[in-house]
Every structure is written in C-alpha cells, then in structure tokens.
Amino acid sequence: MIHVNKEDRQFELHTRNMLYACSVDDANRLNFLAWSGKSPSQDGPVFSSRRDFRLHECAAQDPDKPVDEVCGYGDEGAREPAIRLSILGTDNAVHSTEAIRDLRLRYVSYQVGKADVPHAGAPTHGRQTRQTREGDWLMLTLEDASYPLRVVLYMRPDEDADMLERYLVIENRGGRNVVVEHAWAASLTLPVDRYQATHLCGAWIAEFEQQRQVLPVGSTVIESRSLTSGSRHQPVVFFQPAGRAGRSHGVTYAAQLAWSGNWRIQMEQRHDRSMRVHLGENPMDADFVLSPGESQASPLVLATYSRDGEEGAASHFRSYHSRCTLAGAPTRRPVLYNSWEATYFDLSLDGQIALARKAAEIGCELFVVDDGWFGARRSESAGLGDWYVSPDVFPDGLKPLSDAVHDMGMDFGLWFEPEMVNPDSDLYRKHPDWVLHFPDRPRVEARHQLILDFGRPEVVDCIREQMVAVLDAVPVEFIKWDMNRTPNPPGSIAGKRIWRRHVEAVHQLMDYLLKRYPRLQIQSCSSGGGRADAAMLARCCQFWTSDNTDAIERFRIQEGFALAYPTEAMECWVTHEHNHQTGRNHSLSLRFASSMRGVLGVGSSLNELSDQELGEYKKYIELYKRVRHLIHQGKLNRPSLYEVSDGLSAWQYTAEDQRESYLSVVLVTHTPGQTPSHVTLSELEETARYRVQEMLRGDTFEATGAELMHVGFQCAPMLEKHTPSYVGTDYHWLIWAI
Ligand code: DGJ
C-alpha cells in the first residue's frame, strides 16, 4: 500500500509488517524518514501529521542535516553520495574548469502508477508481468537545481512478501554531455545504532559461506569484480543491532541487489552510530557518458525488515522470489540426470543412451548432456565457440539421442558456455578480434579459454544464431548455461561499458531463447554457484549451487543459499560415493538427504552401479517425488535453526494450507552418550491432529499441531552404541493432518 500525504509531501510505503517513509522538506529535498516495522492491522498512514526529519534518530550528530533519499555529490561532502557526475561545459572535457562536478537534487513531483521505465536487468520475455500493475509503484521525480538532470526514484511495496523494490532512472534532459562517474542503485539508511552484518562469501566449491561480524566504524565492502555476480560474495546483506538479535530473533534489516555482473555493497557505520548501506554496480570502471536525451536505469534493489532475525528476513526473500521473480516460470522442476561426472569428455551416442536408459529406470525426468557434444571439444582445450554438433561424437546429429531420451519419457538438456571461446576453435581462427583484449597486449587464457566480447553486437548475433540452429533442430527443454572465468583483461570495443554491456547481452540472449522456446528452462552455472543472483533467477529457474557435491559440505552451502533464494531454485546432485571434490565417502542415504532439499539431480556414473544400488537410487527418488511439491511450493522453516555446525540440521517444508509438512533432518555428528536435541515445528494448525511418520523407517505417531510446535519431538533418535551411522544419519518425517 502506498500512502501519499499531499499537504505535507510525505510518502509511506507499507507492506504487511514493514514501513518505509520519506518526505519533502521546505528546501525541496527528499529526506529519508523511516525504515521500520509496523502492525499488519495498520491500514492508514503511520504518521498522522508532518514528521520533521530532525526528530528522526537517523540524523545522528547532525540534526540539521537531512538524510537525502538520493544524495547528489554537491549536497554531500563527508559521506558517500548516491550519484557522482560531471556536467560538461562547451569544451566537452571532463578535466576542465567548465565541467561542473555538482549535483543537488530537488523534489519536483510524484506519481503513483505503473513503472514506465523498467529497471536494468528486468526480463523481457513476459515474466514478472504483475510488477507493472497500475498503482503499484511510487515514482518520485527529482531534478538538479540548475541543470535539467532528472532522477526518478521508483519504489514498490510488495505487501505479502514484506519487500520493498526500488531503483533509479537518471535522465539527461539538457543539452550537454554528462559523465556519470558512479550511481548507486540504492542508498538505504538504517536507524541509528551499532550493527552486526551477515553476508555470504566463498569461492569455487565453497560457496555461500555465512559470515557474521560486528561492523567496524568505517566502510565495509563486499563486491564482485567479475562479469558474473560471483562466488566470492553474494549481493545480499543482513543487518541487526549488534548483540541484540540473532539467526531467528530480533530486529533485522536486509537488502539484496538483483544484478548478474560486477557489483558492490558498501556498508557505512559511522562513529556517531549512523548507518547507511549502498548497493549497486561496482564503482570500478563505472564512468560513462550520458548524452543529451539519454537515460539509464539502475538494477533493482530489494529491502526487507523482520523481527524474527536473519531467518525471518530470509523467508521474505524466499517468498518474494517464489512469488515475484519466478512468476511465470514453470513450477515443475524435473529430477535431472547429468552425465558430466559419469563420462566427462568421453561422449558417444551409445554411451549416453545407455546412461539415459538407466536414468529413466531409476526415475529421472530430464537427461542432460554436459560439456563435449560440440565442435572439436574433446577436451578443455578446444571447441568452445563452435556450437554445432560434433560429427565425431554424434555422426547423425543429436536427433537419435534426443528421440531416445524423449521416448524414455524424459526431457532433454544440453550444456552451453555461450560467452567463451577456445583459441583452438573455428570461431577464433576466423575472428581473433572477437575476444576481450587490449590491442598489442598479451591475451590471458584461463582453462584454455578467452571471453567473447559481448560488447560487439555481431558476436552475440553469431552465438545466438548458432544456438538457435541447434535448438531448432531437436527439441531441447533444458540448457545448463555455464560461465567459467573472470575477465582479465577487460578490453572491449565497448570500453569501460563492457561491464554493463556484457550482462545486458547475456540477459537479452537468455530472454530471446526463453521467448522463442516457451518450454525451455535454463540453469545458471558459473564454476558452480558463481552466478546465482535475483536477475538471473528471473530467467534461470534453477541455479547449480556448487561443484562441491560432498553431502556434508552441501548441507552447509545450502544453508547459506537459502538465506537469499528459494529452495525450488537450488539444484543439488547425488554423485558417487567417493566424492570427486573432497575425496570423502558418504552413504547414499546422506547424499540423497542433502540433494532432496532442493531440486534433485543425479550425477553418478550409473554404469558403475549394481542393480541393487540402482534400486536404492530408485527408492530415494520415489521418496523425493512424494514430498517434492512441499519442497518446491511449500514454505521453508528451519526449526530452531539448527545448522550443520550445530551437529544437527533440520529443514521443514509446509503446504500453504498447513495440512501437510515434510521435515528433513540430518544428524551430522552424534556425540556418544548425548541425546540429540528435540526439534519443534512451525506453520501447523494448533488444534489439528497430525500423523507423523519417518518415511524410511516407518516409525509413526500422532500429535496435535500445538504439541509438535511447542513441545517438539525427538526427530533423530539416540543411536545404539557402535552404530556406523554416528556420522551423518538422515531422517525424513512426513506430517499430515488426519
Ligand atoms: C563447470 C561446471 O561447474 C561443471 O558442472 C561442468 O559443467 C563443467 N564446467 C564442464 O566443463
């Protein structure tokens, strides 16, 4: 709900439990007023009359200084401005006394309606249509006091998900060139306090690691300096008053940036206890010329508030993404088989059909051929960029394999790495200039590959045409879209704009394919979970979360992932008993338990398994299918927030009508002589009676919702002495109303 107090020029955006407010002062500055909780029953405005920004605690030591919603460089000296730019003079030179490095944004008007300009990264293939409804958006127009440089601040409260969406559009309405040096997508102010922040960091095979720290006085930066959102940090952060909140309790503010390229989140905790956070594209190489008449939209920022700790805010992100970001995406996520770890580059038609047959027998619904099916790609060192079916591997094209897979009742999927080229490829031999490089400087290969210059439209056209030729020839329902290197050096025909152009080109290419092939689903992969972000989620309904498929590692990686994204987008594979990344062995049961928490896949070499083992795989896939609707469409709660590091991890998924729930429990380490903890459930009806059954072992009992939610139960029974499963025992409880 949007409330506008026209007389006092005050704006309130309400979700069920959150308030965001700003107002215009006498000097026409748009001031931040509040970001806080509110009661769901509050229908009307929270502020009954004009609220003076000076009374607000955010003003900290500087009560006479307003905190602008969008602060120009000229209005802000000591702190980080939202926008830095130079308005060039008649000599059109940046380093000139004529260039004005001063921006003072003043309120001009407001509008409540449809968002007339989309944010950067908005999908164009018909999803997210609900975001453009009349009356959804508050648009606040600001303009520089002496040059017609206009900034429109777009904000939309999503009531049900308790989420505020927000972005900026900068428009040069004057006659001079403007060099935008950097613009944050959003600068958010928090109430004055000392804060602790939680964010997600990591690396290849170690993504989504949770980091909690009390913020030091000063600036703390997390970022990506890549053409992907990256695995080093995730563009999401949670803030809590230091020491007064935790994982599942206390006031929590959280923000997320929806962008698939380089980005930065800069947290500014000042000595006076004021706190701001800036989110947007990375200031590195950020400057660009905005010519007269041109405009640029920022990526989308999501902001939320919860009284239930980080997990409360995380559940808002999950619910928002399921309802909004994934709106229009297919809800069915088939059980996937991927042949990568079974065959690597050793592909053949007969070999793939043999694997597909076994995959279908154990219950897989989608068969994906990974790297190696195209061009001269018999190893990592050749073929990228040549997206035609390799006659050496598939002499009659992909049709015999695709037909066989479809006849077995499965969907068919293919791996692509569209942004890359091997120097040993037809494409590179023909167009050596089509890669990121600087003239007369060495080209730097990684994994024997170079990055194509997506700043050149003809490069994107060429890749699109090649992909279309493959996808037109055989029905392909799934693409695994990989991206495996960082951009050094970033030399492009687009100059410094390549950071944005590349991301736009990837988004547009995906949008084109999704529109052309309505049944297509895309999985985003970047050396594992290196390109998992909300702008990708609007196109790729699932993420390859990590190349690390070790079950215990995966539980931990997934715990971090689910702080930002829904489990229906979290792809997880069961792989070999002897893990290829960590060298550890885990039981099949434990491997399934970790993979069942999201979108189940299988990556084991099925040819190496006995019939008895294949029978076990089949049993677990059947078990998963019984609860898949809850895992994908239900609400995730993490009861008592046990995590792998606590020795016990428990995730509960519940149907919207509260009649059915699935509890996945893993006892990671069991100290002999100690009884594993009780787990209390959530989201059930207090008075309803439920039957509770452990799906593998058959133990069953009955209890009321109140009993299960307040008293809880022993979901990981005390193990007998000398039980080999002291490390890693999983339990699968189904709870249904009777
Ligand atoms: C990296 C991915 O993370 C793997 O799953 C696999 O697809 C390889 N690329 C193929 O080259």
Side-chain angles (χ1 to χ4, degrees):
M1 175 72 78
I2 297 169
H3 294 286
V4 178
N5 175 341
K6 285 188 197 167
E7 202 177 316
D8 293 332
R9 299 196 296 179
Q10 208 151 267
F11 307 93
E12 291 187 25
L13 297 106
H14 290 195
T15 67
R16 269 176 64 73
N17 296 292
M18 176 172 71
L19 163 73
Y20 194 91
C22 49
S23 73
V24 181
D25 66 17
D26 294 339
N28 286 331
R29 288 174 77 159
L30 180 67
N31 300 151
F32 165 78
L33 264 191
W35 182 13
S36 71
K38 73 166 249 305
S39 156
S41 58
Q42 171 93 38
D43 285 337
V46 169
F47 299 120
S48 55
S49 58
R50 185 178 172 85
R51 171 82 184 231
D52 189 336
F53 71 85
R54 277 170 300 199
L55 298 177
H56 199 280
E57 50 188 350
C58 71
Q61 279 185 0
D62 237 345
D64 287 329
K65 198 152 189 247
V67 180
D68 297 74
E69 278 294 332
V70 187
C71 193
Y73 186 64
D75 275 324
E76 189 58 270
R79 287 191 288 191
E80 177 75 9
I83 300 176
R84 279 186 285 120
L85 53 75
S86 295
I87 301 158
L88 302 189
T90 46
D91 59 357
N92 207 28
V94 183
H95 300 289
S96 146
T97 46
E98 281 188 44
I100 299 166
R101 298 187 67 218
D102 185 14
L103 175 68
R104 300 184 199 197
L105 292 169
R106 299 294 177 261
Y107 172 81
V108 175
S109 63
Y110 82 91
Q111 201 192 329
V112 176
K114 279 186 182 180
D116 39 10
V117 180
H119 57 82
T124 55
H125 53 82
R127 290 187 190 164
Q128 287 192 327
T129 41
R130 49 174 292 291
Q131 285 205 15
T132 57
R133 277 194 324 222
E134 204 57 67
D136 267 2
W137 289 87
L138 173 65
M139 290 161 274
L140 296 165
T141 300
L142 312 169
E143 205 165 277
D144 180 62
S146 49
Y147 177 82
L149 189 290
R150 180 168 276 196
V151 173
V152 183
L153 169 60
Y154 288 75
M155 291 196 278
R156 186 183 83 88
D158 188 280
E159 294 193 38
D160 294 331
D162 268 322
M163 195 64 65
L164 179 75
E165 298 174 342
R166 143 178 198 149
Y167 64 99
L168 290 179
V169 176
I170 305 176
E171 193 184 347
N172 181 0
R173 294 163 71 93
R176 303 198 216 155
N177 278 343
V178 170
V179 177
V180 179
E181 285 152 26
H182 184 246
W184 293 106
S187 296
L188 302 171
T189 307
L190 281 79
V192 164
D193 213 325
R194 281 307 304 273
Y195 283 91
Q196 61 195 34
T198 297
H199 55 93
L200 302 167
C201 65
W204 177 66
I205 65 168
E207 296 88 342
F208 302 103
E209 184 181 306
Q210 299 174 45
Q211 286 284 318
R212 292 185 179 82
Q213 62 189 118
V214 175
L215 287 174
V217 170
S219 287
T220 304
V221 164
I222 56 172
E223 63 180 359
S224 158
R225 289 168 169 261
S226 184
L227 294 172
T228 61
S229 40
S231 53
R232 289 177 208 278
H233 296 283
Q234 267 293 315
V236 61
V237 63
F238 300 77
F239 298 102
Q240 301 177 314
R244 301 204 307 278
R247 282 186 285 187
S248 52
H249 76 281
V251 164
T252 305
Y253 301 84
Q256 189 173 135
L257 178 74
W259 190 239
S260 315
N262 73 350
W263 58 268
R264 180 177 284 182
I265 295 179
Q266 185 165 317
M267 307 160 230
E268 287 194 305
Q269 172 84 73
R270 284 164 49 115
H271 183 260
D272 64 7
R273 307 199 322 141
S274 63
M275 172 75 204
R276 295 198 97 189
V277 55
H278 311 273
L279 306 96
E281 288 161 278
N282 200 306
M284 173 188 73
D285 281 356
D287 51 301
F288 68 97
V289 177
L290 202 60
S291 307
E294 277 189 341
S295 64
Q296 165 156 301
S298 78
L300 186 72
V301 167
L302 306 171
T304 190
Y305 166 93
S306 172
R307 290 182 197 86
D308 299 323
E310 292 154 0
E311 185 57 11
S315 78
H316 296 169
F317 284 135
R318 293 194 292 265
S319 135
Y320 169 84
H321 287 315
S322 291
R323 288 183 41 258
C324 304
T325 316
L326 286 165
T331 48
R332 180 179 174 270
R333 306 281 197 282
V335 178
L336 163 154
Y337 180 78
N338 181 299
S339 59
W340 175 241
E341 290 199 15
T343 52
Y344 291 109
F345 288 106
D346 190 13
L347 297 179
S348 70
L349 175 63
D350 290 347
Q352 293 299 300
I353 289 182
L355 277 171
R357 194 164 291 122
K358 290 193 170 167
E361 275 165 19
I362 61 173
C364 293
E365 299 157 323
L366 161 67
F367 182 83
V368 182
V369 179
D370 209 281
D371 200 351
W373 57 268
F374 51 90
R377 185 79 169 167
R378 300 294 78 75
S379 73
E380 279 181 3
S381 59
L384 285 175
D386 298 338
W387 299 105
Y388 58 85
V389 183
S390 164
D392 299 340
V393 183
F394 298 109
D396 300 315
L398 285 172
K399 192 162 185 321
L401 178 58
S402 146
D403 283 352
V405 166
H406 287 123
D407 287 348
M408 291 173 206
M410 293 187 290
D411 289 344
F412 182 58
L414 277 182
W415 180 93
F416 284 92
E417 195 175 4
E419 298 143 80
M420 297 294 154
V421 67
N422 285 120
D424 184 1
S425 65
D426 297 343
L427 185 74
Y428 187 78
R429 278 183 284 274
K430 201 165 164 201
H431 299 289
D433 283 348
W434 279 14
V435 295
L436 294 183
H437 72 288
F438 289 107
D440 304 325
R441 308 285 293 182
R443 297 171 184 209
V444 182
E445 290 178 30
R447 212 191 182 214
H448 310 285
Q449 59 199 57
L450 296 164
I451 303 183
L452 286 169
D453 184 359
F454 270 26
R456 289 176 181 262
E458 66 273 26
V459 176
V460 187
D461 290 348
C462 167
I463 297 299
R464 186 181 54 242
E465 280 158 23
Q466 291 193 63
M467 292 179 82
V468 163
V470 174
L471 302 176
D472 275 356
V474 289
V476 173
E477 288 84 19
F478 186 90
I479 285 179
K480 175 174 175 178
W481 187 302
D482 210 342
M483 199 300 185
N484 285 306
R485 63 159 294 186
T486 45
N488 57 307
S492 162
I493 200 159
K496 289 183 183 176
R497 291 300 273 160
I498 189 57
W499 298 102
R500 186 177 255 243
R501 293 278 173 269
H502 186 95
V503 178
E504 286 172 344
V506 169
H507 284 164
Q508 282 160 12
L509 184 50
M510 286 181 169
D511 288 350
Y512 175 86
L513 296 174
L514 288 165
K515 192 164 179 195
R516 185 176 175 117
Y517 307 103
R519 291 194 58 221
L520 183 68
Q521 299 192 16
I522 305 180
Q523 176 217 112
S524 170
C525 169
S526 178
S527 305
R531 186 143 70 180
D533 57 77
M536 272 294 144
L537 192 59
R539 301 165 163 90
C540 304
C541 56
Q542 61 201 64
F543 297 138
W544 179 226
T545 319
S546 177
D547 281 352
N548 190 342
T549 54
D550 178 298
I552 298 289
E553 294 296 311
R554 258 310 175 94
F555 283 120
R556 187 193 55 68
I557 289 169
Q558 293 169 185
E559 279 165 358
F561 178 96
L563 279 177
Y565 309 111
T567 46
E568 65 183 298
M570 185 174 77
E571 192 183 312
C572 331
W573 297 355
V574 171
T575 54
H576 316 79
E577 184 176 13
H578 183 72
N579 191 270
H580 283 196
Q581 286 78 29
T582 63
R584 291 197 297 220
N585 285 20
H586 292 302
S587 69
L588 185 63
S589 178
L590 197 67
R591 282 177 277 147
F592 264 99
S594 72
S595 300
M596 279 176 60
R597 287 189 169 181
V599 180
L600 176 66
V602 176
S604 317
S605 180
L606 300 180
N607 291 330
E608 288 167 23
L609 300 177
S610 66
D611 285 349
Q612 196 237 331
E613 285 171 306
L614 288 170
E616 288 284 298
Y617 272 69
K618 188 171 178 177
K619 183 183 88 183
Y620 281 109
I621 291 174
E622 276 165 10
L623 182 90
Y624 167 74
K625 286 180 180 170
R626 279 174 65 194
V627 290
R628 171 169 51 181
H629 62 290
L630 298 170
I631 296 169
H632 294 184
Q633 277 93 49
K635 177 170 182 196
L636 172 65
N637 277 87
R638 305 201 258 183
S640 324
L641 264 169
Y642 288 114
E643 296 194 332
V644 167
S645 54
D646 304 316
L648 178 98
S649 163
W651 287 23
Q652 184 199 354
Y653 308 81
T654 309
E656 205 179 344
D657 66 4
Q658 301 181 308
R659 307 288 293 168
E660 200 185 10
S661 192
Y662 163 65
L663 176 69
S664 156
V665 177
V666 59
L667 193 60
V668 187
T669 47
H670 184 186
T671 311
Q674 286 187 2
T675 312
S677 310
H678 262 212
V679 164
T680 49
L681 302 186
S682 325
E683 301 291 331
L684 302 177
E685 262 180 63
E686 295 262 345
T687 53
R689 202 160 177 79
Y690 291 88
R691 184 160 293 148
V692 183
Q693 184 172 61
E694 207 292 315
M695 294 165 79
L696 289 175
R697 299 164 183 83
D699 308 348
T700 309
F701 66 95
E702 287 179 15
T704 61
E707 239 176 295
L708 293 168
M709 291 195 290
H710 304 300
V711 183
F713 72 107
Q714 190 70 59
C715 59
M718 179 97 164
L719 297 170
E720 294 296 322
K721 263 197 272 172
H722 311 303
T723 309
S725 32
Y726 257 85
V727 172
T729 313
D730 52 291
Y731 303 86
H732 306 263
W733 294 94
L734 189 62
I735 299 122
W736 69 98
I738 47 177

